[in-house]
Amino acid sequence: MKHIISLGAGVQSSAMALMAAKGEITPMPDCAIFADTGWEPKHIYQWLDWLETQLPFPVLRVNNGNIRDNLVDSFGAKRFASIPFFTESPNGGGLMRRQCTREYKVMPITKKIRELMGLQPGQRAKGVIEITQWIGISLDEVVRMKPNRETWITNRWPLIEEKMTRLDCLNWMKRNGYPLPQKSSCIGCPYHNDAAWREMKMHRPDEWSDVVEIDKMIRSGVRGTKEKLYIHRSLKPLDEIDFRSLEDMGQQVLEFGDECEGMCGV
Ligand code: SF4
């Protein structure tokens, strides 16, 4: 039985990997696998470089292409894995299907595990190998726990076993003298809340310009859609939204919203 960490390089999976490194979660994993969508913020790649130096097991990086480039290419003839953009149509608004998590996160990790186990493409894995995949979902996210689609992979949620919330993970990092990780997700992920957009606009101008450009680009729809698309749930262009926080405006902050799945690195 092999133990493999699905490493999103955000708060929870980073804390989980470091806890394993210190022997606070056992057994010692055989490796961690980071699936790179190619559109992660710069600080996540820097964090990953650092994290790798702290872990006694290897961190393998895999990808299934670049989600941003594939999106841009979809304006030509190419297929693209749907991102959950917000849609506007005469019949009301909606949300596009989410295929990106599976295509850019789940699939490349599963492919890498098969490769590590020496399976040939198409070779049956069930009954041949058994894997425990550690997923960094914390106690405040239990609704996101799902069994693995592959019957030969058993998902394990060590942070749930430890009864740890996201805040507990941050506190554990502090107690152990580590720097604090940030949330990891694609630069243009429609699941960002307003605080995340505001932070990007204020502190990461290159990434902000990039996402504003992509937001404009998808307005006329992408391949296979007729509706107008938006990255922000308000169905407004990103660069026209007032992201001053409600706190700045003297009101109480009420944040809500969907999140990218545990696989997507939160
Ligand atoms: S972070 Fe968002 S955009 Fe990126 S793969 Fe996950 S759901 Fe899709």
Side-chain angles (χ1 to χ4, degrees), residues 7 22 25 72 75 113 158 164 245 247:
L7 185 67
K22 282 180 166 284
I25 301 173
V72 172
F75 289 92
I113 296 175
M164 288 176 74
S245 72
E247 275 173 317

Side-chain angles (χ1 to χ4, degrees), residues 7 9 26-27 37 75 93 106 124 130 143 153 169 207 214 227:
L7 185 67
T26 56
T37 66
F75 289 92
V106 180
R124 190 181 158 89
E130 239 179 288
V143 288
I153 301 180
C169 293
E207 292 172 4
I214 293 290
E227 294 103 341

Side-chain angles (χ1 to χ4, degrees), residues 92-156:
L95 199 61
M96 280 179 68
R97 280 207 303 153
R98 181 175 64 191
Q99 298 170 323
C100 45
T101 301
R102 175 149 185 80
E103 195 125 338
Y104 293 96
K105 292 285 182 182
V106 180
M107 282 168 53
I109 291 179
T110 306
K111 187 172 168 212
K112 186 67 185 177
I113 296 175
R114 287 181 56 91
E115 186 189 308
L116 289 171
M117 296 298 109
L119 292 181
Q120 298 303 313
Q123 187 183 342
R124 190 181 158 89
K126 194 177 175 189
V128 181
I129 54 174
E130 239 179 288
I131 299 292
T132 300
Q133 190 171 353
W134 298 18
I135 313 279
I137 286 178
S138 52
L139 202 56
D140 38 343
E141 306 173 314
V142 277
V143 288
R144 291 157 66 194
M145 291 165 70
K146 286 184 204 140
N148 205 293
R149 279 203 203 183
E150 307 289 343
T151 49
W152 50 278
I153 301 180
T154 304
N155 282 354
R156 179 187 176 196

Side-chain angles (χ1 to χ4, degrees), residues 37 39-40 67 81-85 98-105 184-192 259-261 263-266:
T37 66
W39 205 20
E40 295 275 348
I67 192 171
S82 176
I83 296 173
F85 292 130
R98 181 175 64 191
Q99 298 170 323
C100 45
T101 301
R102 175 149 185 80
E103 195 125 338
Y104 293 96
K105 292 285 182 182
S184 104
S185 55
C186 295
I187 292 171
C189 181
Y191 289 150
H192 289 322
E259 284 255 29
C260 194
E261 285 191 337
M263 271 289 181
C264 272
V266 284

